[in-house]
Amino acid sequence: MDTDYPIETWNPIVGCKHHCYGDGCWAARIALRLKDNPYVKRYRDGFDHPKLIAKELRKTWKPNTVVFVVSMGDMWGRWIEDRWIKRVLEACQNSPRTIFFFETKNPRRYYDWLELIPENAILSSTIEANSDYNLSEAPEVKERYAAMKQLEWGRKHISIEPIVDFDLEVFLRWIKDIKPVIVSVGYDNYGCNLPEPSLSKTMKLIEELKKFTKVEKKQLREKASHAK
Ligand code: SF4
């Protein structure tokens, strides 16, 4: 998130079953590294065994801080229990002037919680391109697009990261339809061998996005030589 406010991360839920990028997502890699660490219990059962971390719910946050809620998983995944989501959203109410940032690959699930999500929250979804490449077990990008487009929320964010090859015209229309206040664009950082677009194509996308929204540039580079 490109913001002038300090950014914190908060993981009251950890774990994910979307298995993105051949289990190459950074969160899965960190969890694997910590799995046998005697001082960190939360990843012991593996990243694809999501958990509520109850002690995290006691945390409160400073005003005018952006808090990324659940960077180490997807708290809106279909397997997450309703009561966990409810407890996290209730805990957000203890910090009414904090800006909570939620991100998911299952944005349809936001719909059930709109009354409890803090008013100033930013609701985000990752949409890597307008085509699926069987990169994960998450809902298809077309489904994410439809859900984000229909979502009535003032502050929407789209993460195009890790970017994969796209049809410029169609993808731009998708993002325009969603009406995000900001879009982040970046390439894979972890050597996941993704079907990447050329840098010039990505720069063209960014140029067009800037005509109607704010763009946060993440890692931009030529497509990897190993990319499909
Ligand atoms: S949705 Fe996020 S946390 Fe879950 S596997 Fe994919 S990249 Fe990792």
Side-chain angles (χ1 to χ4, degrees), residues 16-21 25 27-28 47 71-74 105 136:
C16 185
K17 296 181 183 227
H18 282 146
H19 299 287
C20 300
Y21 325 126
C25 93
F47 189 63
S71 60
M72 290 295 292
D74 189 335
K105 288 196 175 85
S136 86

Side-chain angles (χ1 to χ4, degrees), residues 192-211:
C192 292
N193 196 24
L194 304 178
E196 297 178 334
S198 65
L199 181 59
S200 58
K201 191 172 176 184
T202 299
M203 295 312 290
K204 179 69 185 164
L205 173 71
I206 290 173
E207 189 187 313
E208 294 298 321
L209 288 171
K210 279 182 172 172
K211 292 179 183 170

Side-chain angles (χ1 to χ4, degrees), residues 72-118:
M72 290 295 292
D74 189 335
M75 81 170 253
W76 307 93
R78 64 190 178 285
W79 58 84
I80 298 290
E81 295 182 29
D82 281 347
R83 65 192 172 98
W84 295 4
I85 295 177
K86 186 164 181 276
R87 288 186 68 184
V88 173
L89 295 178
E90 284 172 350
C92 292
Q93 290 169 6
N94 297 326
S95 307
R97 292 178 52 218
T98 299
I99 300 161
F100 292 98
F101 176 82
F102 297 94
E103 189 160 73
T104 182
K105 288 196 175 85
N106 185 30
R108 187 70 66 181
R109 204 159 180 204
Y110 286 141
Y111 287 50
D112 300 333
W113 296 96
L114 293 179
E115 286 189 5
L116 207 53
I117 293 173

Side-chain angles (χ1 to χ4, degrees), residues 3-196:
T3 169
D4 295 333
Y5 297 124
I7 300 182
E8 304 273 1
T9 55
W10 176 37
N11 283 290
I13 292 173
V14 298
C16 185
K17 296 181 183 227
H18 282 146
H19 299 287
C20 300
Y21 325 126
D23 285 332
C25 93
W26 70 270
R29 288 178 190 220
I30 290 171
L32 185 63
R33 223 181 298 143
L34 293 173
K35 190 169 185 290
D36 298 319
N37 184 319
Y39 302 105
V40 182
K41 292 186 186 154
R42 58 184 64 181
Y43 304 114
R44 254 178 218 174
D45 300 327
F47 189 63
D48 61 357
H49 284 76
K51 287 185 170 59
L52 176 75
I53 312 295
K55 68 178 182 187
E56 294 281 341
L57 298 171
R58 294 196 289 270
K59 286 188 177 166
T60 52
W61 302 96
K62 288 184 185 156
N64 300 322
T65 300
V66 175
V67 175
F68 184 176
V69 187
V70 185
S71 60
M72 290 295 292
D74 189 335
M75 81 170 253
W76 307 93
R78 64 190 178 285
W79 58 84
I80 298 290
E81 295 182 29
D82 281 347
R83 65 192 172 98
W84 295 4
I85 295 177
K86 186 164 181 276
R87 288 186 68 184
V88 173
L89 295 178
E90 284 172 350
C92 292
Q93 290 169 6
N94 297 326
S95 307
R97 292 178 52 218
T98 299
I99 300 161
F100 292 98
F101 176 82
F102 297 94
E103 189 160 73
T104 182
K105 288 196 175 85
N106 185 30
R108 187 70 66 181
R109 204 159 180 204
Y110 286 141
Y111 287 50
D112 300 333
W113 296 96
L114 293 179
E115 286 189 5
L116 207 53
I117 293 173
E119 262 177 28
N120 64 353
I122 300 164
L123 299 186
S124 176
S125 185
T126 301
I127 303 181
E128 300 95 334
N130 64 295
S131 300
D132 267 302
Y133 294 90
N134 294 321
L135 299 179
S136 86
E137 294 167 26
E140 292 185 353
V141 288
K142 201 170 180 179
E143 160 58 23
R144 293 178 229 162
Y145 152 64
M148 287 304 284
K149 177 183 164 186
Q150 289 158 17
L151 181 66
E152 290 189 14
W153 195 261
R155 302 167 96 183
K156 294 190 269 186
H157 169 265
I158 293 297
S159 173
I160 308 177
E161 188 186 21
I163 192 167
V164 293
D165 204 6
F166 54 87
D167 178 293
L168 182 63
E169 196 178 321
V170 176
F171 200 25
L172 268 176
R173 180 173 55 75
W174 280 22
I175 306 296
K176 257 187 205 166
D177 289 348
I178 292 168
K179 301 189 178 75
V181 291
I182 180 164
V183 176
S184 304
V185 183
Y187 282 70
D188 167 37
N189 279 316
Y190 300 97
C192 292
N193 196 24
L194 304 178
E196 297 178 334

